[in-house]
Amino acid sequence: MNKLALRTEGLHKTYQRGRIKTQALRGVSLAIPRGTFCCIVGPSGHGKSTLMHLLGALDRPTSGQVFVEDQEIGKLSSSELAALRARRIGFVFQFFNLLPTLSAQENVTAAMMFSDKNKNNRAQRARELLDLVGLSDKYKAPPNELSGGQQQRVAIARALANDPDILLMDEPTGNLDSEAEAEVMATIDQLHQQGKTIVIVTHNNEIAARAQQVIRVKDGRLVEF
Ligand SMILES: Nc1ncnc2c1ncn2[C@@H]1O[C@H](COP(=O)(O)OP(=O)(O)OP(=O)(O)O)[C@@H](O)[C@H]1O
Ligand SMILES: [Mg+2]
């Protein structure tokens, strides 16, 4: 049997703001095999990003368990979690989140805090990653000199900085026009071909149609179909 990259058991997440409680997830159990191209779809506000944050150990569940490569992450300390996030999981968000005063190359090296590479090797690795995402001519460019699609490809290069096996992307093309979207999807396809596990939250049916596994979230639960 294929080993699992990610698994959850009975995941619940309740946010509390003052007296208002929001049950964002109400018992989500799922399994994503290694190397899968998986999409998470569903209406706005129904728990997709919440699920993604829990899968990536950016937040802790109210109850239930998350396993990354068979390791239950609820048992890890905050520093162990930070190390797991940095080494095993790469994140890409809808709004790129690049550091505006740094060049493309510096944005990528800034993510290498857990790397044992020295400064020159880090710079070299950052350039290789920018080559991979088709930005060989933009090493020195700050974000405000890059198009949306180019900025998102820098964000993908940054997510790859520590060579994670799993890439979690929350609407990575949500802010892009169709041409930039095609560029970013080509990069993502290539990473999938290389064996990475890809999990994408998307509202785009064309992207979901290409996925090997589609997870539908509605009212904080999975929809069987
Ligand atoms: N930090 C938070 N504090 C309080 N409530 C939150 C928080 N984050 C999300 N929520 C609420 O939890 C529910 C699920 O939100 P979530 O962001 O997971 O939805 P989503 O499916 O990603 O939506 P979208 O497609 O619009 O991005 C929503 O009702 C939202 O208002
Ligand atoms: Mg969301």
Side-chain angles (χ1 to χ4, degrees), residues 121-193:
N121 291 343
R122 288 179 187 208
Q124 174 63 27
R125 164 104 180 122
R127 289 192 292 269
E128 286 167 11
L129 289 170
L130 290 169
D131 294 344
L132 178 77
V133 299
L135 293 175
S136 306
D137 54 343
K138 300 289 183 188
Y139 298 158
K140 299 274 181 258
N144 66 3
E145 290 175 18
L146 298 171
S147 71
Q150 290 169 338
Q151 288 182 59
Q152 192 59 304
R153 283 183 284 149
V154 174
I156 293 173
R158 177 182 58 183
L160 295 169
N162 301 305
D163 198 23
D165 300 317
I166 302 171
L167 283 171
L168 302 180
M169 309 192 183
D170 199 346
E171 304 194 39
T173 64
N175 235 356
L176 303 178
D177 64 29
S178 55
E179 198 175 323
E181 171 169 9
E183 287 169 11
V184 167
M185 285 315 300
T187 301
I188 292 172
D189 275 340
Q190 198 183 340
L191 294 168
H192 177 231
Q193 303 292 333

Side-chain angles (χ1 to χ4, degrees), residues 46-196:
H46 282 236
K48 302 181 300 297
S49 294
T50 300
L51 177 58
M52 188 71 117
H53 291 157
L54 296 180
L55 287 174
L58 289 174
D59 199 0
R60 291 181 189 269
T62 307
S63 64
Q65 295 165 307
V66 177
F67 300 83
V68 177
E69 301 274 348
D70 285 337
Q71 183 165 36
E72 200 218 317
I73 64 179
K75 299 210 168 84
L76 303 180
S77 68
S78 299
S79 60
E80 286 170 330
L81 270 185
L84 173 107
R85 268 198 308 270
R87 292 203 179 96
R88 314 291 289 274
I89 303 172
F91 285 95
V92 177
F93 302 99
Q94 181 177 356
F95 296 102
F96 324 140
N97 295 342
L98 299 176
L99 296 168
T101 58
L102 300 185
S103 68
Q105 181 179 315
E106 289 163 344
N107 263 284
V108 179
T109 52
M112 296 181 185
M113 61 275 200
F114 284 91
S115 167
D116 48 16
K117 289 186 170 62
N118 68 29
K119 205 168 164 224
N120 284 339
N121 291 343
R122 288 179 187 208
Q124 174 63 27
R125 164 104 180 122
R127 289 192 292 269
E128 286 167 11
L129 289 170
L130 290 169
D131 294 344
L132 178 77
V133 299
L135 293 175
S136 306
D137 54 343
K138 300 289 183 188
Y139 298 158
K140 299 274 181 258
N144 66 3
E145 290 175 18
L146 298 171
S147 71
Q150 290 169 338
Q151 288 182 59
Q152 192 59 304
R153 283 183 284 149
V154 174
I156 293 173
R158 177 182 58 183
L160 295 169
N162 301 305
D163 198 23
D165 300 317
I166 302 171
L167 283 171
L168 302 180
M169 309 192 183
D170 199 346
E171 304 194 39
T173 64
N175 235 356
L176 303 178
D177 64 29
S178 55
E179 198 175 323
E181 171 169 9
E183 287 169 11
V184 167
M185 285 315 300
T187 301
I188 292 172
D189 275 340
Q190 198 183 340
L191 294 168
H192 177 231
Q193 303 292 333
Q194 290 170 10
K196 306 267 183 219

Side-chain angles (χ1 to χ4, degrees), residues 13-17 20-25 40-53 59 94 170-171 201-203 217 220:
K13 180 70 183 180
T14 303
Y15 294 108
Q16 180 139 21
R17 279 240 167 102
I20 301 168
K21 278 190 182 177
T22 306
Q23 281 190 289
L25 293 179
I40 299 177
V41 300
S44 177
H46 282 236
K48 302 181 300 297
S49 294
T50 300
L51 177 58
M52 188 71 117
H53 291 157
D59 199 0
Q94 181 177 356
D170 199 346
E171 304 194 39
V201 172
T202 184
H203 286 283
V217 179

